[in-house]
Amino acid sequence: MPEMDMMKKVPVREQDPKERAKNFDEVCLGYNEEEARQESLRCLNCKNPLCVKGCPVSINIPAFIQEVKNGDYEKAAQIIAKDSALPAVCGRVCPQETQCEGKCVRGIKGEAVSIGKLERFVADWAREKGIRPVLEASKKGKKVAVIGSGPAGLTCAGDLAKMGYDVTVFEALHKPGGVLVYGIPEFRLPKDGVVMPEVENVKALGVEIRTDVIIGKSETIDELLEEEGFDAVFIGSGAGLPMFMGIPGEQALGVFSANEFLTRNNLMKAYREDYDTPISCGKQTVVVGGGNVAMDAARTALRLGSSVTVVYRRSEKELPARAEEVHHAKEEGICFELLTNPVEILTDEKGWVKGIRVIRMELGEPDESGRRRPVEMPGSEFEIPCDTVIMALGTSPNPLISSTTKGLEINKKKCIVADESNGETSRPGVFAGGDAVTGAATVILAMGAGRAAAKGIDGYLS
Amino acid sequence: MFEILEAKLLAEKIYRMTVKAPNVARSCEPGQFLIVRTDEKSERIALTICDYDREKGTVVIVLQAVGASTMKMLSLKAGDSFADVVGPLGRPSDFVSEDLEEVKKRRYLFVAGGLGTAPVYPQVKWLKERGVDVDVIIGTKCHDTLIMEDEMISVAGKEHVFITTDDGSYGRSGMVTAVVEDLVKNEGRKYDICVAIGPMIMMKFVCKLTKELGLPTIVSMNPIMVDGTGMCGACRLVVGGKVKFACVDGPEFDGFEVDFDGAMKRMALYKTEEGRKLLELQEGNTHHGSCGA
């Protein structure tokens, strides 16, 4: 390896953009051992490590990087495992640039240490060597039910199992993993290669996962607590119902929510010829929205053979998606129409999408979110021809659980009200966290909430 | 795995299956549905619940082979298993949670079209068990495609079941709407509420008629679904000018408010893909095009 510039990250290898635009294999190839060792040397092992403060689950980052320097990857994995049940997932999908790496002292003068890529290296190494977390705690003889097997639920379940609780996770879909399985595409987060082994690790701690059970329908939280002998419940049921714009033409054939498009492709594996679930993706796709889900939908449509334009009403600076995702999308050839907002979806005589009418926007005064409010520019409407429109506008909470649980307070936005520090809801013994509480956010924030709730549940049951 | 305890052919391409699914059976009510996935590579298919036995933990589904996935389901026999059966999904029929004394004051008219006979059955059974009188019209193409006649008669009573066939090969002759008109206009029967379940086109025309008759009508929508829990929005339809999700807001809606034309259009979405898959299943992989091709 050539002499390295300590101000810069060791670059990570990626699939060539032209190549990867045609397949669903993972884009980022990760560090090999030598690259990881090189990168680890950049860590200053700060006495007061700010990176740890930036991590929602407070992984002891300098300590694990120290073990990478020493070449003791197993020990590095053990250090991470104390705080994270899903390191191979987090190493891939966490927005490190605004969390651990955003706080890294190295980042002041140069580039932050590539903490995410190092975490990924350690987690992948441990998985490939077949190293599993070990269970040390003695049994407490108390039962906890966890609703949802996404990042919040898995983290909460893993932590509780480590403390000695009997944990049963209830999952509505046929496969555990939640958004890690139905939402985030294979090319960012391999399912069989990365997600399932981490789910297996949680199971190895003694957690039972029951798929195909819809809490709120098959049985209620009241029944779990009153009839089935659970001592506490954690709700990590996720975000919910996809939102639409309410513009003319939205019911047209060829208009999808990003959730539907991604679920068909990721959970149901519609991109594979040997799976039955169909996906309808044309040759020209417009994705509306600027978050990570919009980028995932856009890059998925591209891989299904469509040209793709992302339409977003604010400017590039306000794009809520991770910079890395936007960068990858552009590299792959996705176009961006920024400061542009749809006003109507145009249809042909058979009801299929044939285009989208949009209007240019300019940024006005800041709104309640602190971002400058986009304002329509009169007379600037134009049409973008397309045959598929994917709406990636966020979600509103699913009423399934809140409407069937007695005494569970919800807020104006219909999210479950829960204490951020311990997950407590208005109902004793019922805790909640993740998107069900915050509305759509990130994997790691959901994990942080799952962790906090595990501590809260332990406090409640002790 | 969810074992199929019984599989019986009811008519051409229409099967009745009894499936072990305790999680569904313990809490399902009339009006709700479930989702079945045959095996690892299959679609999730939404199906109405035709009957259930809480003690035995079983549910009864009736399904018709229309595409590749339902063909695959029908190739299974008693003793085989589905990979997944999940439910109950959707909201139960309104009468389940209404004051029973109020419900008892009403006269219900059920209009079942074809496969829609299956989801009508548990509603009729529920009401009759509680002493509510109902009339049931079953419409079908011909005598051979008629299903569940005996079951319906056994719960509703022979004098309350009216069969009509499009070709006149059995029972009355003609569309269900003609029978509704006969019963109300010519035979002077009085109803307070109509529940119509069947093909969308049938529900549309029943609603057109019952609106003229001033008879409030509930319909059950069965659009394309993926997860069935409110996550994907594939099942959205316009009701009373607002976008609703059939899986969490329905499947039953006020028939006078439903945009049937829009809903029928959306059903066409995967027709070509479904057709392609079916041909592939029957003739081998010769019809596969890539996305957008």
Side-chain angles (χ1 to χ4, degrees):
Chain A
M1 184 167 282
E3 188 69 22
M4 72 176 291
D5 177 354
M6 292 301 273
M7 288 298 142
K8 288 199 166 155
K9 289 179 176 185
V10 172
V12 70
R13 288 166 291 115
E14 289 174 347
Q15 251 202 93
D16 181 74
K18 284 205 188 80
E19 224 14 75
R20 73 186 192 229
K22 288 178 258 165
N23 67 49
F24 280 90
D25 299 337
E26 200 172 8
V27 168
C28 176
L29 304 174
Y31 284 154
N32 60 26
E33 191 175 344
E34 196 185 337
E35 289 159 343
R37 291 282 287 280
Q38 282 287 343
E39 183 63 20
S40 70
L41 296 175
R42 297 183 63 234
C43 175
L44 300 169
N45 204 358
C46 304
K47 276 227 175 72
N48 176 22
L50 296 176
C51 52
V52 180
K53 295 203 175 88
C55 173
V57 296
S58 309
I59 292 172
N60 191 343
I61 293 164
F64 100 73
I65 295 183
Q66 199 58 35
E67 295 307 333
V68 177
K69 285 182 194 170
N70 297 339
D72 191 344
Y73 309 124
E74 185 167 351
K75 201 154 176 207
Q78 285 165 358
I79 292 169
I80 298 174
K82 278 186 198 155
D83 300 299
S84 173
L86 310 169
V89 170
C90 289
R92 287 169 167 83
V93 303
C94 265
Q96 290 101 7
E97 63 279 7
T98 59
Q99 298 177 347
C100 52
E101 295 179 23
K103 297 258 182 357
C104 177
V105 171
R106 274 264 181 224
I108 298 170
K109 286 189 183 158
E111 289 180 353
V113 174
S114 213
I115 300 167
K117 301 291 186 285
L118 288 173
E119 181 188 27
R120 169 184 165 153
F121 167 77
V122 170
D124 287 358
W125 184 93
R127 183 183 64 248
E128 280 155 22
K129 292 282 181 296
I131 294 166
R132 289 254 167 109
V134 279
L135 187 63
E136 293 150 4
S138 54
K139 287 268 170 204
K140 298 213 185 211
K142 283 184 178 159
K143 282 167 68 183
V144 181
V146 170
I147 320 299
S149 65
L154 288 175
T155 302
C156 188
D159 278 7
L160 288 167
K162 283 188 216 161
M163 295 173 194
Y165 292 97
D166 289 323
V167 185
T168 307
V169 178
F170 296 91
E171 168 57 48
L173 292 172
H174 55 261
K175 221 176 205 168
V179 72
L180 308 175
V181 168
Y182 75 75
I184 303 175
E186 182 78 14
F187 56 83
R188 280 216 293 140
L189 188 60
K191 308 300 158 222
D192 292 340
V194 174
V195 180
M196 284 309 139
E198 300 221 317
V199 171
E200 287 303 318
N201 283 347
V202 174
K203 282 181 168 168
L205 295 170
V207 172
E208 187 198 347
I209 301 183
R210 290 175 58 196
T211 52
D212 291 331
V213 185
I214 302 191
I215 300 301
K217 288 287 179 189
S218 305
E219 49 198 307
T220 62
I221 285 179
D222 295 344
E223 286 168 339
L224 291 175
L225 287 168
E226 286 154 25
E227 291 167 28
E228 295 192 33
F230 284 97
D231 300 293
V233 175
F234 172 73
I235 305 167
S237 54
L241 288 61
M243 296 202 277
F244 290 89
M245 293 187 77
I247 57 173
E250 225 168 5
Q251 292 295 311
L253 299 174
V255 181
F256 305 93
S257 74
N259 268 11
E260 178 184 356
F261 195 74
L262 292 171
T263 301
R264 285 181 182 278
N265 206 63
N266 302 337
L267 176 71
M268 306 310 293
K269 300 200 187 302
Y271 69 95
R272 280 176 51 170
E273 297 213 340
D274 54 339
Y275 279 72
D276 295 342
T277 298
I279 193 160
S280 171
C281 175
K283 287 182 171 159
Q284 290 173 296
T285 300
V286 166
V287 176
V288 182
N292 287 318
V293 174
M295 295 308 125
D296 285 345
R299 297 170 71 196
T300 296
L302 183 87
R303 283 159 173 77
L304 291 170
S306 179
S307 67
V308 183
T309 302
V310 171
V311 169
Y312 177 59
R313 64 197 179 125
R314 301 182 203 247
S315 75
E316 173 137 13
K317 210 175 89 203
E318 286 86 14
L319 277 172
R322 289 182 68 195
E324 182 179 316
E325 302 307 321
V326 176
H327 170 70
H328 278 153
K330 284 184 176 169
E331 270 189 341
E332 289 164 11
I334 286 166
C335 305
F336 285 78
E337 283 286 359
L338 301 166
L339 286 166
T340 304
N341 206 31
V343 290
E344 183 185 0
I345 293 164
L346 310 166
T347 53
D348 66 15
E349 63 284 354
K350 285 184 180 155
W352 282 87
V353 172
K354 67 169 185 184
I356 186 164
R357 175 173 275 283
V358 294
I359 187 164
R360 290 282 185 214
M361 312 290 280
E362 57 188 347
L363 293 179
E365 295 300 307
D367 60 15
E368 61 274 17
S369 74
R371 296 179 300 180
R372 292 174 67 193
R373 186 192 299 274
V375 185
E376 288 184 358
M377 293 170 72
S380 66
E381 290 187 20
F382 65 103
E383 285 172 17
I384 306 173
C386 61
D387 47 20
T388 304
V389 173
I390 302 173
M391 293 292 180
L393 306 163
T395 55
S396 62
N398 194 320
L400 267 185
I401 287 178
S402 55
S403 66
T404 55
T405 309
K406 278 182 263 166
L408 192 64
E409 193 190 331
I410 52 174
N411 66 17
K412 259 193 292 182
K413 289 182 173 169
K414 296 192 177 150
C415 293
I416 297 169
V417 175
D419 187 326
E420 212 178 298
S421 65
N422 59 13
E424 271 180 15
T425 66
S426 57
R427 166 108 184 241
V430 178
F431 297 74
D435 284 3
V437 170
T438 57
T442 62
V443 168
I444 188 70
L445 285 175
M447 288 176 61
R451 268 213 105 190
K455 283 188 197 137
I457 289 169
D458 186 42
Y460 171 76
L461 294 178
S462 300
Chain B
M1 299 297 269
F2 298 80
E3 194 188 349
I4 299 165
L5 302 175
E6 194 188 359
K8 192 178 153 199
L9 184 72
L10 297 184
E12 198 192 349
K13 288 187 180 172
I14 300 178
Y15 280 77
R16 177 185 195 276
M17 286 182 172
T18 307
V19 185
K20 187 97 182 157
N23 273 329
V24 184
R26 73 194 294 262
S27 55
C28 66
E29 299 284 1
Q32 293 186 294
F33 63 96
L34 49 72
I35 279 186
V36 175
R37 197 176 66 128
T38 306
D39 59 35
E40 169 58 27
K41 292 181 176 174
S42 301
E43 283 186 83
R44 292 168 67 93
I45 303 284
L47 296 167
T48 47
I49 299 169
C50 175
D51 205 355
Y52 48 88
D53 186 324
R54 300 216 199 283
E55 310 257 291
K56 290 183 187 153
T58 57
V59 291
V60 175
I61 51 177
V62 171
L63 54 156
Q64 181 170 27
V66 288
S69 292
T70 36
M71 283 283 278
K72 195 149 108 183
M73 289 173 76
L74 293 182
S75 68
L76 299 186
K77 298 171 192 66
D80 293 338
S81 291
F82 291 122
D84 305 278
V85 177
V86 60
L89 294 159
R91 295 170 49 237
S93 303
D94 285 340
F95 56 72
V96 172
S97 56
E98 285 172 334
D99 178 4
L100 189 60
E101 291 313 308
E102 287 303 311
V103 174
K104 278 182 174 172
K105 288 180 195 157
R106 296 181 199 145
R107 287 274 304 171
Y108 278 82
L109 172 64
F110 284 89
V111 181
L115 210 63
T117 313
V120 161
Y121 172 76
Q123 301 202 17
V124 171
K125 187 176 165 188
W126 193 99
L127 288 167
K128 287 297 286 192
E129 278 173 359
R130 286 157 184 80
V132 184
D133 270 344
V134 307
D135 281 348
V136 185
I137 300 168
I138 302 176
T140 181
K141 273 191 197 130
C142 58
H143 194 193
D144 290 343
T145 55
L146 177 65
I147 59 167
M148 301 184 66
E149 181 190 14
D150 294 343
E151 289 93 331
M152 198 67 84
I153 287 173
S154 77
V155 291
K158 198 167 177 50
E159 67 282 11
H160 293 290
V161 177
F162 307 88
I163 312 254
T164 182
T165 49
D166 293 355
D167 67 354
S169 55
Y170 189 71
R172 300 183 183 211
S173 174
M175 302 288 173
V176 288
T177 40
V179 184
V180 175
E181 261 191 308
D182 265 355
L183 295 181
V184 174
K185 287 189 182 162
N186 305 333
E187 298 175 29
R189 289 175 187 255
K190 298 251 184 295
Y191 301 105
D192 302 293
I193 194 155
C194 169
V195 178
I197 308 179
M200 283 200 203
I201 187 81
M202 178 206 94
M203 295 192 284
K204 177 185 164 174
F205 282 103
V206 168
C207 288
K208 202 170 163 234
L209 171 66
T210 52
K211 200 167 186 179
E212 285 166 21
L213 298 173
L215 176 60
T217 301
I218 289 164
V219 296
S220 181
M221 303 300 281
N222 189 14
I224 294 164
M225 287 188 191
V226 185
D227 66 292
T229 65
M231 201 179 77
C232 81
C235 65
R236 66 188 190 275
L237 70 162
V238 176
V239 182
K242 290 202 177 103
V243 174
K244 298 277 181 188
F245 291 178
C247 68
V248 289
D249 300 319
E252 296 189 348
F253 293 101
D254 177 346
F256 298 166
E257 299 285 333
V258 171
D259 172 11
F260 286 105
D261 293 340
M264 280 188 277
K265 247 183 202 168
R266 284 188 60 77
M267 290 299 279
L269 185 54
Y270 290 100
K271 261 191 184 153
T272 47
E273 264 110 330
E274 262 296 298
R276 199 187 289 150
K277 285 274 181 192
L278 183 60
L279 286 172
E280 186 188 312
L281 196 73
Q282 290 168 342
E283 299 168 15
N285 189 3
T286 54
H287 302 270
H288 226 293
S290 65
C291 177

